[in-house]
């Protein structure tokens, strides 16, 4: 019996032949000519039908073809994906916004290993208000369902959730029973009624309209509209006092004081408009953190976050866009405005899906200050995760995060090594490599080099040799690699180092160069340099590392030149070979020290006698008539002989 693949002939054109040569599966080649040029979602699958990756496309055929149009040498993640792909499934949708929503839904359902993935948030509890019921309840749940209820959270801080529930129980008489009112009902009220925690709607002591009005206040409170609740509670307190119900008025007075105290510490920044969601972002290699600060009425009410995995080889714009599509789009009670730290992938599609929420990227002023605050929160949470996972020994300094953000580095440069070349008019060429960890020098990792492969002064060849030797040895010895290599110089030195990286197959270490004249930062593959503000902490950190590498290199170069100068004078003395020269320098420290010594002192050095001592002094220009000091009181072996 023949299969479909046996009956369908593969397209016979030059592009398909080249794609098949790159490894495109026959099943994909069969489907490719029939894909539409319209929006949709595609699913790459393995040989067992498992979903490896879910993606969206404005034009499905062009997007799928692009995977096999190149070798993806710069993306190990994409190469790994294509090696496992055996089949393709596509879903056509009416618009790009629909594609965005469907992509996020399928990623959440299948959790493909090659997609940027949100860490599972099912362990975080939410507060659920069953507003779809005639007599709603307030519950704690870890599952968010599309059942018409209002969900608040998830609460990453369980203590904050419990405090919110305690306030609800203290202020509002929400029923705690599980009866399906009014269809099911008990014969008599429970204990909550007698201790005034419930007004017993189950037996008709409270009508549905009054109960609903109270639930509206619960939703206001959980949604952060505390000031509205304060107004209502104060009105009820005055009404109770007018009815001479002083006991109830006292309860409402105490609750009112509690509400007002809750409001006091929440004011962070007053900005016009009042209500907005603020997104913060931090990244370290394959892990990232996205934070959302919920600000209502100019007050910070809550902070939610998500940790993301599998962000290897992904740009920050892609990671942030994926997170907002998968998470923020599904949040209940979004503000009318969301502030994000930078432009991200598929912003227009997400804007269409969010409908009543406007996406803005502030550049300065109070709104930018809010985004910076959210970024700091994201950095803090990512650091906590790294420390808990034992992937870092201490928190990274602020300049480290600034450097990553300003240069768009995929990995947080917690550790970086700076290379510098030093010489004296083309001679005594040496190099240094200094290691910085969390913006501080780590001297146990300093290294110095003599240029061995050629004579003369060639900064580019010297840099290529030093970078190659440094990283080859660390790879051979399986020692930790830095997150970033900083080259002292311009494009030429950077290209020499990049060639060394390519020859070593080094892709996990970032690479930049710092040119001293205008303090310009060059990155591989980018024609224009980056200029940081002169007062930038990140620039100052790079300057400190560059200056330290220069100091370390020039110190070594001077030592080497001094040793060469000393050795050259001693070389002219007949009968003094390498071992005798080393012995003289070991005892007297320098040529001048030998000149100042007496015949007896030189003769006391192993390998020398009085005649050879006089020969050394004459060769160094010291006349025989030089004063002779008294013999050393501690007799040497040679003088006793």
């Amino acid at each position: 019996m023949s299969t479909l693949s046996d009956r369908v002939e593969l397209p016979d054109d030059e592009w398909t032949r080249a794609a098949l040569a790159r490894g495109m599966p026959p099943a994909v080649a069969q489907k490719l000519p029939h894909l539409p040029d319209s929006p949709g979602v595609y699913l790459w699958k393995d040989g067992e039908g498992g979903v490896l990756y879910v993606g969206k496309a404005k034009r499905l055929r062009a997007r799928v073809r692009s995977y096999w149009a190149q070798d993806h040498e710069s993306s190990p993640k994409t190469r790994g994906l294509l090696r496992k792909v055996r089949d393709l499934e596509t879903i056509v949708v009416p618009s790009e916004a629909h594609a965005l929503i469907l992509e996020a839904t399928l990623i959440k359902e299948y959790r493909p290993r090659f997609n940027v993935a949100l860490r599972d948030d099912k362990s975080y509890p939410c507060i659920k208000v069953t507003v779809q019921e005639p007599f709603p309840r307030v519950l704690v749940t870890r599952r968010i369902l599309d059942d018409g209820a209002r969900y608040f959270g998830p609460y990453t801080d369980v203590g904050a959730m419990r405090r919110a529930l305690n306030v609800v129980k203290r202020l509002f008489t929400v029923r705690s029973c599980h009866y399906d009112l009014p269809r099911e009902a008990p014969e008599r009220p429970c204990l909550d009624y007698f201790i005034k925690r419930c007004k017993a709607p189950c037996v008709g002591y409270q009508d549905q309209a009054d109960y609903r009005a109270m639930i509206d206040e619960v939703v206001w409170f959980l949604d952060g509209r505390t000031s509205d609740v304060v107004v209502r509670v104060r009105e009820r307190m005055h009404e109770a006092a007018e009815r001479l119900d002083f006991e109830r008025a006292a309860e409402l007075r105490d609750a009112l004081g509690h509400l007002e105290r809750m409001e006091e510490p929440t004011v962070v920044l007053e900005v016009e408009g009042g209500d907005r969601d603020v997104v913060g972002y931090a990244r370290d290699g394959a892990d990232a953190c996205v934070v959302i600060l919920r600000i209502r009425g100019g007050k910070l009410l809550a902070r939610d976050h998500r940790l993301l995995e599998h962000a290897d080889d992904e740009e920050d714009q892609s990671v942030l866009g994926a997170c907002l599509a998968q998470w923020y789009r599904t949040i209940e009670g979004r503000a009318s405005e969301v502030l994000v730290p930078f432009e991200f992938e598929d912003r227009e599609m997400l804007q269409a899906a969010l409908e009543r929420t406007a996406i803005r990227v502030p550049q300065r002023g109070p709104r930018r200050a809010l985004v910076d605050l959210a970024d700091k929160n994201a950095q803090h949470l990512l650091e906590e995760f790294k420390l808990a996972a034992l992937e870092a020994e201490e928190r990274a300094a602020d300049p480290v995060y600034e450097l990553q953000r300003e240069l768009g580095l995929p990995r947080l440069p917690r550790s970086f090594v700076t290379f510098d070349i030093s010489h004296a008019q083309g001679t005594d060429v040496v190099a240094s490599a200094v290691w910085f960890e969390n913006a501080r020098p780590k001297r146990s990792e300093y290294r110095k080099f003599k240029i061995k492969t050629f004579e003369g002064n060639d900064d580019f060849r010297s840099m290529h040799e030093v970078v190659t030797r440094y990283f080859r040895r660390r790879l051979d010895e399986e020692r930790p690699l830095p997150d970033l290599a900083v080259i002292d110089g311009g494009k030429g030195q950077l290209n020499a180092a990049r060639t060394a990286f390519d020859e070593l197959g080094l892709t996990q270490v970032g690479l930049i160069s710092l040119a001293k004249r205008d303090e310009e930062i060059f990155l591989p593959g980018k024609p224009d340099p980056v200029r940081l503000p002169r007062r930038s902490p990140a620039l100052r950190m790079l300057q400190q590392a560059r200056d330290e590498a220069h100091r370390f290199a020039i110190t070594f170069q001077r030592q080497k030149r001094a040793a060469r100068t000393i050795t050259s004078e001693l070389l002219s003395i007949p009968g003094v070979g390498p071992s005798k020269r080393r012995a003289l320098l070991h005892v007297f420290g320098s040529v001048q020290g030998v000149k100042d010594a007496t015949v007896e002192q030189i003769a006391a050095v192993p390998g020398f006698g009085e005649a050879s001592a006089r020969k050394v002094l004459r060769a160094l220009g010291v006349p025989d008539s030089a004063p002779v000091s008294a013999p050393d009181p501690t007799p040497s072996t040679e003088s006793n002989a």
Side-chain angles (χ1 to χ4, degrees), residues 29-71:
Q30 291 173 7
K31 296 177 180 180
L32 191 55
H34 310 291
L35 294 180
D37 279 328
S38 57
V41 173
Y42 58 92
L43 295 82
W44 290 121
K45 295 186 173 183
D46 58 21
E48 298 178 355
V51 177
L52 297 170
Y53 182 84
V54 177
K56 63 185 172 303
K58 184 186 298 185
R59 298 168 56 204
L60 274 172
R61 184 188 302 170
R63 183 69 184 102
V64 172
R65 281 173 62 99
S66 69
Y67 277 89
W68 308 99
Q70 52 185 312
D71 294 325

Side-chain angles (χ1 to χ4, degrees), residues 265-282:
T266 62
V267 178
V268 286
L269 281 174
E270 290 291 344
V271 290
E272 66 276 11
D275 292 358
R276 52 181 49 86
D277 294 327
V278 186
V279 177
Y281 179 85

Side-chain angles (χ1 to χ4, degrees), residues 186-221:
E187 295 180 358
R188 57 188 179 186
C190 65
L191 179 64
D192 281 354
Y193 171 74
F194 296 101
I195 63 175
K196 299 185 178 180
R197 289 289 180 87
C198 178
K199 294 184 178 180
C202 54
V203 293
Y205 292 173
Q206 183 182 25
D207 61 32
Q208 185 172 345
D210 186 48
Y211 189 87
R212 274 284 180 181
M214 181 264 297
I215 289 295
D216 288 342
E217 294 180 13
V218 172
V219 172
W220 290 352
F221 171 74

Side-chain angles (χ1 to χ4, degrees), residues 210-322:
D210 186 48
Y211 189 87
R212 274 284 180 181
M214 181 264 297
I215 289 295
D216 288 342
E217 294 180 13
V218 172
V219 172
W220 290 352
F221 171 74
L222 294 175
D223 203 26
R225 296 167 57 184
T226 312
S227 56
D228 294 338
V229 179
V230 167
V231 171
R232 295 287 291 270
V233 171
R234 184 176 286 113
E235 289 175 354
R236 291 210 304 272
M237 179 183 70
H238 292 315
E239 291 172 359
E242 290 174 359
R243 295 195 311 268
L244 305 182
D245 186 357
F246 299 118
E247 184 177 354
R248 178 59 178 162
E251 291 176 356
L252 292 170
R253 178 202 61 201
D254 294 342
L256 187 62
H258 188 67
L259 277 173
E260 290 172 342
R261 284 194 299 275
M262 286 183 63
E263 283 193 288
E264 287 173 3
T266 62
V267 178
V268 286
L269 281 174
E270 290 291 344
V271 290
E272 66 276 11
D275 292 358
R276 52 181 49 86
D277 294 327
V278 186
V279 177
Y281 179 85
R283 181 175 180 182
D284 188 358
D287 300 311
C289 179
V290 175
V291 160
I292 293 180
L293 303 181
R294 302 184 66 183
I295 295 177
R296 300 294 183 268
K299 301 176 180 65
L300 176 59
L301 301 179
R303 182 194 72 182
D304 297 330
H305 75 276
R306 289 292 183 275
L307 292 168
L308 297 97
E309 300 172 309
H310 312 322
D312 320 62
D313 304 324
E314 299 283 352
E315 297 290 335
D316 289 336
Q317 293 81 355
S318 175
V319 176
L320 181 61

Side-chain angles (χ1 to χ4, degrees), residues 13 51 55 152 176 179 197 231 265 347 358 364 375 388 437:
D13 58 76
V51 177
F152 300 90
S176 60
Y179 292 109
R197 289 289 180 87
V231 171
R347 173 182 171 178
R364 61 185 67 86
D375 281 345
E437 188 89 32

Side-chain angles (χ1 to χ4, degrees), residues 46-105:
D46 58 21
E48 298 178 355
V51 177
L52 297 170
Y53 182 84
V54 177
K56 63 185 172 303
K58 184 186 298 185
R59 298 168 56 204
L60 274 172
R61 184 188 302 170
R63 183 69 184 102
V64 172
R65 281 173 62 99
S66 69
Y67 277 89
W68 308 99
Q70 52 185 312
D71 294 325
H72 300 286
E73 290 296 330
S74 61
S75 177
K77 181 178 176 181
T78 304
R79 292 202 309 272
L81 166 66
L82 296 182
R83 279 197 296 266
K84 296 179 179 294
V85 165
R86 294 294 178 270
D87 201 359
L88 169 72
E89 180 182 339
T90 57
I91 303 172
V92 178
V93 295
S95 67
E96 296 174 43
H98 285 85
L100 178 77
I101 295 171
L102 180 58
E103 178 197 37
T105 303

Side-chain angles (χ1 to χ4, degrees), residues 268-557:
V268 286
L269 281 174
E270 290 291 344
V271 290
E272 66 276 11
D275 292 358
R276 52 181 49 86
D277 294 327
V278 186
V279 177
Y281 179 85
R283 181 175 180 182
D284 188 358
D287 300 311
C289 179
V290 175
V291 160
I292 293 180
L293 303 181
R294 302 184 66 183
I295 295 177
R296 300 294 183 268
K299 301 176 180 65
L300 176 59
L301 301 179
R303 182 194 72 182
D304 297 330
H305 75 276
R306 289 292 183 275
L307 292 168
L308 297 97
E309 300 172 309
H310 312 322
D312 320 62
D313 304 324
E314 299 283 352
E315 297 290 335
D316 289 336
Q317 293 81 355
S318 175
V319 176
L320 181 61
C323 180
L324 295 178
Q326 295 180 47
W327 173 36
Y328 183 69
R329 183 184 56 81
T330 64
I331 289 179
E332 288 276 354
R334 293 189 301 269
S336 58
E337 180 182 61
V338 57
L339 308 180
V340 296
F342 47 81
E343 291 287 350
F344 58 90
E345 207 171 84
D346 305 318
R347 173 182 171 178
E348 293 181 359
M349 285 189 276
L350 182 62
Q351 180 66 80
L354 293 180
E355 296 178 348
R356 291 184 293 275
T357 300
I359 302 173
R360 308 195 191 285
V361 186
Q363 302 299 321
R364 61 185 67 86
R367 286 184 172 87
R368 186 67 223 184
L370 286 172
V371 172
D372 292 341
L373 177 66
D375 281 345
K376 285 187 177 295
N377 275 268
Q379 294 168 12
H380 168 75
L381 290 168
L382 185 59
E383 290 291 324
E384 283 189 346
F385 163 69
K386 287 287 186 181
L387 291 169
L390 301 179
E391 295 183 20
E393 296 180 357
E394 60 178 320
R395 295 186 182 278
D398 288 343
V400 175
Y401 275 101
E402 182 188 348
L403 184 65
Q404 182 198 29
R405 182 176 64 251
E406 294 293 343
L407 301 185
L409 301 174
R411 182 178 295 276
L412 185 68
R414 296 175 185 275
S415 59
F416 64 91
V417 62
T418 304
F419 294 93
D420 181 56
I421 307 295
S422 181
H423 59 85
Q425 297 180 347
T427 62
D428 302 314
V429 183
V430 299
S432 68
V434 302
W435 185 292
F436 269 50
E437 188 89 32
N438 286 330
R440 295 191 298 273
K442 188 176 182 180
R443 290 179 173 80
S444 62
E445 291 289 347
Y446 282 19
R447 298 293 182 269
K448 52 192 176 184
F449 304 85
K450 296 178 183 177
I451 302 303
K452 298 179 177 180
T453 58
F454 66 96
E455 296 289 338
N457 177 29
D458 187 332
D459 270 7
F460 302 159
R461 290 180 65 186
S462 300
M463 188 62 71
H464 178 272
E465 175 187 333
V466 170
V467 171
T468 301
R469 286 167 55 191
Y470 179 85
F471 282 105
R472 178 175 289 142
R473 180 163 184 174
R474 295 193 80 89
L475 290 169
D476 291 343
E477 295 177 356
E478 297 183 352
R479 304 191 65 187
L481 297 177
D483 299 312
L484 177 69
V486 181
I487 307 301
D488 180 24
K491 284 186 177 181
Q493 287 86 350
L494 179 67
N495 289 334
R498 186 181 185 183
T499 301
F501 271 39
D502 292 342
E503 292 170 355
L504 294 170
L506 204 60
T507 59
Q508 64 269 46
V509 179
L511 182 63
I512 65 171
S513 72
L514 178 63
K516 189 170 186 177
R517 188 179 65 180
D518 295 318
E519 303 293 11
E520 295 175 331
I521 301 172
F522 292 93
L523 289 88
K526 295 186 178 180
D528 298 322
V530 176
R531 292 183 178 88
L532 299 181
R534 289 288 178 174
R535 295 185 178 181
S536 163
L539 178 60
R540 289 179 177 176
M541 178 181 67
L542 289 180
Q543 290 170 331
Q544 181 189 359
R546 189 259 319 279
D547 294 344
E548 178 69 358
H550 182 65
R551 180 199 65 79
F552 193 54
I554 202 169
T555 300
F556 180 45
Q557 187 267 330

